[in-house]
Each structure stands twice: as C-alpha cells, then as structure tokens.
Amino acid sequence: MTESTSFTAGAPDAVSDAVPNAVLASYRASIDNIDAALIHILAERFRITKAVGAYKAEHALPASDPAREERQIARLRKLSLDAQLDPEFSEKFLRFIIEEVIRHHEQAKAG
C-alpha cells in the first residue's frame, strides 16, 4: 500500500471535498432563500384570504366557492406544466392551501 492510498482510503481528502461542499452550500443557501420567499408569499396570501373571509362573513357568503377553486386548480395545473413542475404536486399543494383558507373562512363566519 502506498502512502497516498493509505491517506485517502480511510478519510476524505479535504482539498477535493472543499469544492463539492462549497457547491452544495451554495445550492442550500439558494434553497433557504427560496424557502424564506415562499413563507413570505404564503403569509401575504393568507393576509388577503383573511380579508376575503371577513368580507364573506360580513355579507353572509359561503366559505367556499367550488367553481372558483376548480378554475384555480385548472389554471395552476397549466402553469405547472409550463414551468415543468409536476401538476399533481401543484394540485395537492393548492388543495391543501384551499382547505386551510376555507377553514379560516368558516372560523370567520362562526366568530
């Protein structure tokens, strides 16, 4: 066994790992930024839907609007395809958000 093989066999080479780790760290930093943006976007969306819920409660409108929800899902499925994002995932994500919004609207109506 040579000295170089005994050095690399048991432990990673710090020099060769530095570049992949820097690349991975950069990817992760971008993901963290995107996650933060998603949270802020969702917060803004829910601020607006809270106002919608209050308006619906004030005007005795139903908490849900199934026709609009289906139009939104169809629209976002198409956007997903255009963006090369799995439309099934997008639909599940949107349905989750819609269910939460409806729950908030029902609470506004009751409260």
Side-chain angles (χ1 to χ4, degrees):
M1 183 183 299
T2 67
E3 185 177 327
S4 72
T5 56
S6 66
F7 176 76
T8 59
D13 181 11
V15 174
S16 65
D17 282 350
V19 172
N21 288 338
V23 171
L24 183 58
S26 175
Y27 290 152
R28 287 180 173 166
S30 292
I31 289 168
D32 292 350
N33 288 339
I34 292 165
D35 288 347
L38 285 171
I39 294 301
H40 287 282
I41 289 168
L42 283 170
E44 183 62 20
R45 189 186 197 288
F46 277 96
R47 275 190 284 279
I48 294 166
T49 59
K50 183 178 180 181
V52 169
Y55 180 88
K56 285 181 171 185
E58 182 181 327
H59 293 86
L61 296 170
S64 96
D65 183 347
R68 173 167 165 72
E69 293 157 18
E70 291 307 314
R71 285 191 310 272
Q72 283 294 93
I73 288 168
R75 184 177 74 84
L76 291 178
R77 284 183 67 93
K78 182 183 180 325
L79 286 172
S80 296
L81 288 170
D82 293 345
Q84 299 178 349
L85 181 65
D86 179 5
E88 294 298 317
F89 167 78
S90 298
E91 182 173 339
K92 287 177 191 175
F93 182 70
L94 183 60
R95 286 193 187 278
F96 174 77
I97 291 171
I98 289 170
E99 288 171 11
E100 190 66 13
V101 167
I102 291 169
R103 187 176 71 78
H104 291 178
H105 289 183
E106 288 169 346
Q107 287 175 343
K109 190 175 183 177

